[in-house]
Structure formats: C-alpha cells, structure tokens
Amino acid sequence: MGRSRRTIPEELLLLALDPATGTTAQPQSLDLGLAGAQLVELALAGRIAPDGDRIAVVVPRPTGDPTLDCALELLRRRGAPVRAVNWIGGPRLGLRQTYLSHLERCGMVHAVAGQMCGVLPTTRYQATDTDISREIRARLDSAIRTGVPPDPRTAALAALAHAVGLGKHLYPGNEGRSSRSRLRDLIRHDPMGGLVAHAVMDVQSGVAAQPRRNPAPAGRQAGAGARSAPEPARGVPSQPRHGSMARAVAH
C-alpha cells in the first residue's frame, strides 16, 4: 500500500483532534473507531471482506503499513471469520497513541509537552499542516451539502465519525443539527463502512450477543436504525481508559 495516501484511521484521528486544546474529542469511542477504521482500510486494500456480520481475510499479503499489517495478521491467526463487533470490542491498548506517534513522524502533528496540575507530565498534539485537516473536513462538508454520493473512503470516514460521536465536535450546536443528521445518513453509501459503524455503536451500547441480520446492506437503514441518537458515543464502560491526551506519554 502506497504511503502517499492517508489511511482512514489517520484521517479519523485528525478529524478528532481539537486545534485549540491539542486533545482528541470522544477519546474512548475514538479507540473503537480506530479499530473499525483499520477494518475499512484493509477492505479497501482488498485484504478482507465482509461475510455476513463477520470479517474474513481473503488476501493475507501484507499492505506495507505496519499497523494495518499487525491487524491483518491477528485476523489471519483467528483462522475463521470473526464478528466485527467482537473484533472492535477487543482490547486495543495503545492504538490511538500508535497513530498519534505515526502522525508526528510524518510531520502532520507536533507533540507539545506539558504538565497536569503542575506535576504530571502530559503530551498534547497540534496539527502542523492545517490544510490537511481542512481538506478532510471539506470532503465531509461537500458530501453533506451536495447530497452527491461520496466516494467509498469519504463515506466510510463519515460513517465512523458519526459512530464515535464526532458529530457534535464537527457540527456543534443547534445550527449543526441538520449537518449531524446528514452525516449519519452517509452511512448507507458504503456497505463495509456501515457494517463497521454499526459494530462500533453496538459495542458502545453493549449489544454484542446477537449477530445482525444482513448487516452489510444495513447502511441503507442507518438513518433510522442506528439504534442510538445522532451523537451515540457517550461512555464506553467496556473500553479501558488509555492513552488520554492528558495522560503521561513516555518518549
């Protein structure tokens, strides 16, 4: 996989970064979203494919992206298709920090050292190239404003942004309500993105016992059937707090 193209996990993280504070919005649900974004990126690379509500490895060949290849190898070792909700709900210790460190190495963010309460060392991250973040945001805005079906990458990014609760971060207040609703509706434009987004929301809701029926096309029902409000990601009790932007980061 060529590195000239930003991956969906990277773009989701850049969307979540608050330019004023250097912290990430919805940090706990974002961890789930990053795990889901890896699945979408691997599907776009032709390495995995949906199998009902499960994910199957179809081409185990590495992509060239170390973080994605680690996920691909873990999926391959399962030996059988794994339910998306189980994969996304599994432990992902350090995944957000891994991507933040990668973005720093690529020069897209800058780490700023600080202290919490004047004692605990902290690290916050500021975007170094705001044009990149504006370009990502412009793609979402265009899809929302024009109603033209977006490309699969943008549709999947929109689905994940909605699933992790970034709607209020991107389109705040009453004036952003219609944009948040349209962001949610973009789920229907990408089957894999829809499957993963619903899995992310199911993990947050604690709904993992029963498989979905025909989950891939469920994206077309996302506007009414996303079993949570347009900003669903509030509290993920099953997901440990880790890698918070206000937590010490070892270098």
Side-chain angles (χ1 to χ4, degrees):
M1 175 182 294
R3 295 302 300 136
S4 61
R5 172 177 294 192
R6 294 181 302 272
T7 64
I8 293 176
E10 293 163 7
E11 293 195 329
L12 183 66
L13 188 50
L14 287 171
L15 275 180
L17 273 180
D18 188 319
T21 66
T23 62
T24 53
Q26 303 288 5
Q28 289 180 286
S29 54
L30 181 61
D31 293 338
L32 302 176
L34 289 173
Q38 287 186 310
L39 294 181
V40 176
E41 191 66 46
L42 287 170
L44 289 172
R47 300 315 196 264
I48 65 175
D51 180 7
D53 69 339
R54 298 174 183 269
I55 303 298
V57 175
V58 292
V59 178
R61 186 178 70 252
T63 66
D65 180 304
T67 309
L68 290 176
D69 289 341
C70 179
L72 179 62
E73 177 61 14
L74 289 174
L75 285 167
R76 186 193 66 79
R77 289 179 183 176
R78 295 291 184 94
V82 58
R83 289 184 65 203
V85 70
N86 291 342
W87 173 261
I88 290 170
R92 294 290 178 271
L93 293 175
L95 184 59
R96 182 164 22 116
Q97 185 57 50
T98 295
Y99 274 108
L100 282 168
S101 298
H102 170 73
L103 290 176
E104 183 183 15
R105 289 192 299 272
C106 292
M108 285 188 274
V109 301
H110 172 63
V112 180
Q115 288 184 328
M116 183 196 306
C117 302
V119 178
L120 297 175
T122 64
T123 303
R124 297 173 183 270
Y125 293 85
Q126 301 287 346
T128 56
D129 189 343
T130 55
D131 288 342
I132 294 176
S133 296
R134 281 197 292 265
E135 182 271 327
I136 298 169
R137 174 69 179 270
R139 283 163 41 211
L140 292 184
D141 291 345
S142 177
I144 287 172
R145 183 179 63 255
T146 65
V148 176
D151 63 274
R153 300 185 71 83
T154 301
L157 181 63
L160 287 161
H162 165 70
V164 303
L166 289 183
K168 283 186 175 179
H169 170 70
L170 299 171
Y171 306 103
N174 288 333
E175 64 275 15
R177 183 174 298 174
S178 61
S179 292
R180 294 195 298 269
S181 178
R182 288 192 289 270
L183 178 71
R184 175 199 64 200
D185 292 342
L186 290 176
I187 289 179
R188 70 182 186 272
H189 291 296
D190 181 63
M192 185 66 179
L195 167 64
V196 169
H198 281 298
V200 168
M201 290 186 283
D202 280 350
V203 172
Q204 294 175 82
S205 301
V207 181
Q210 297 298 325
R212 285 182 172 270
R213 295 180 180 178
N214 198 18
R220 68 176 185 271
Q221 298 296 332
R227 78 175 64 198
S228 57
E231 293 77 38
R234 296 182 181 176
V236 190
S238 62
Q239 194 74 1
R241 290 181 177 271
H242 59 269
S244 172
M245 293 300 96
R247 184 171 295 183
V249 177
H251 291 282

